[in-house]
Amino acid sequence: MEKPKFKFSGMVADHDHLHVVSAVGEETIAPKYVDVPGIGSIPQYSPTVTGTEPIMYNPPGDCDGNFMSYRFQPNNNCYNYSTNIATNSFAQPGRKHGTKITIDGEVVTNAAIQDGLIAIGNTTETKVSELKDLTPDNPGHFVALMISIPDHSVNWPGDYHWARCDDLANSKWSQKDGGDQVTNFDFAGNPISDPSTANWTVNQGPGMIQGNNDDVVVEYKFYTYMYSPYGKVDII
């Protein structure tokens, strides 16, 4: 039986031939490949563009428009958007530093720390209202990590998702679901004011009919807040 072809917010799917890592010397599709020891050759479709701080909700202006469909929207995921760095490679936490992640909140968090993000608070216990008092001295912005744990009963390998804070004073957040468009709504179409209570549920199909027992419905649950310091994060 053929494995289901799921859509991922953060991870690179095995069937995503545009973004899977190649062995060094076997590159075939992308115009450029970035070789990382212990990882392989990472396809990159355009040079990295880093956005400026302070950030705001401005999809056409972020990273010179690289998150828009007329440029490199499909090649940037939630991790790219949350850090405001368009690597155009479907960036993965820790990959630039030789780390291959598994879907576990602590593992993904530690990989992001390798990339330069700063851990904030005590995982799920920290409230969005407390972030103002937890802001580091560095210029930057807060991000939120959600984890969808593997469910082997339906062959779901798990995934992660990130959202970013565009306006801390008014708690306004936005996100980019995989290669999809940037939005300031959650997965149910609600404005994001608190990532820990937002709707991060996805119907993966196959029928996508309400009440269909064959549908695979997965949920991303809030795990932790982190801080993305401007000029200090290095991802690929």
Side-chain angles (χ1 to χ4, degrees):
M1 182 178 178
E2 184 181 0
K3 293 176 62 176
K5 293 182 178 180
F6 295 117
K7 176 184 179 296
F8 295 92
S9 179
M11 297 291 285
V12 176
D14 291 340
H15 59 269
D16 183 359
H17 300 299
L18 293 178
H19 299 116
V20 292
V21 175
S22 301
V24 176
E26 296 182 1
E27 306 89 344
T28 58
I29 299 177
K32 178 184 177 182
Y33 283 79
V34 178
D35 294 338
V36 176
I39 299 293
S41 291
I42 300 164
Q44 186 178 37
Y45 290 87
S46 186
T48 295
V49 178
T50 300
T52 58
E53 293 283 348
I55 64 169
M56 62 183 70
Y57 184 65
N58 181 26
D62 286 339
C63 297
D64 296 339
N66 274 244
F67 297 128
M68 305 303 291
S69 58
Y70 85 103
R71 301 209 71 182
F72 299 99
Q73 173 188 311
N75 306 121
N76 291 288
N77 62 2
C78 60
Y79 193 47
N80 288 114
Y81 179 70
S82 67
T83 55
N84 203 25
I85 303 173
T87 61
N88 306 305
S89 65
F90 226 75
Q92 300 297 306
R95 186 165 67 174
K96 183 67 177 287
H97 302 91
T99 295
K100 296 180 181 179
I101 61 170
T102 55
I103 299 303
D104 173 86
E106 184 176 1
V107 170
V108 177
T109 299
N110 287 337
I113 290 173
Q114 282 187 296
D115 289 340
L117 275 74
I118 300 171
I120 297 293
N122 297 310
T123 62
T124 57
E125 297 178 8
T126 302
K127 306 299 183 185
V128 70
S129 59
E130 299 172 346
L131 295 181
K132 295 176 184 178
D133 297 326
L134 296 173
T135 305
D137 293 333
N138 323 52
H141 60 274
F142 286 101
V143 297
L145 171 63
M146 280 65 68
I147 295 289
S148 179
I149 61 173
D151 184 350
H152 300 298
S153 68
V154 291
N155 294 313
W156 171 243
D159 193 19
Y160 62 82
H161 184 53
W162 296 85
R164 80 180 198 193
C165 184
D166 300 310
D167 180 348
L168 182 60
N170 297 294
S171 195
K172 294 183 178 181
W173 296 69
S174 58
Q175 52 98 8
K176 185 179 188 299
D177 182 12
D180 289 354
Q181 292 181 334
V182 171
T183 179
N184 53 2
F185 296 102
D186 65 13
F187 291 168
N190 304 304
I192 308 167
S193 59
D194 184 345
S196 69
T197 60
N199 187 314
W200 304 116
T201 301
V202 179
N203 188 339
Q204 291 277 357
M208 297 189 184
I209 301 172
Q210 187 173 5
N212 186 341
N213 292 331
D214 292 331
D215 283 352
V216 177
V217 179
V218 300
E219 181 181 4
Y220 296 75
K221 293 185 177 181
F222 172 76
Y223 183 76
T224 194
Y225 291 109
M226 301 189 76
Y227 191 78
S228 180
Y230 179 65
K232 304 293 185 181
V233 177
D234 188 17
I235 64 176
I236 189 62

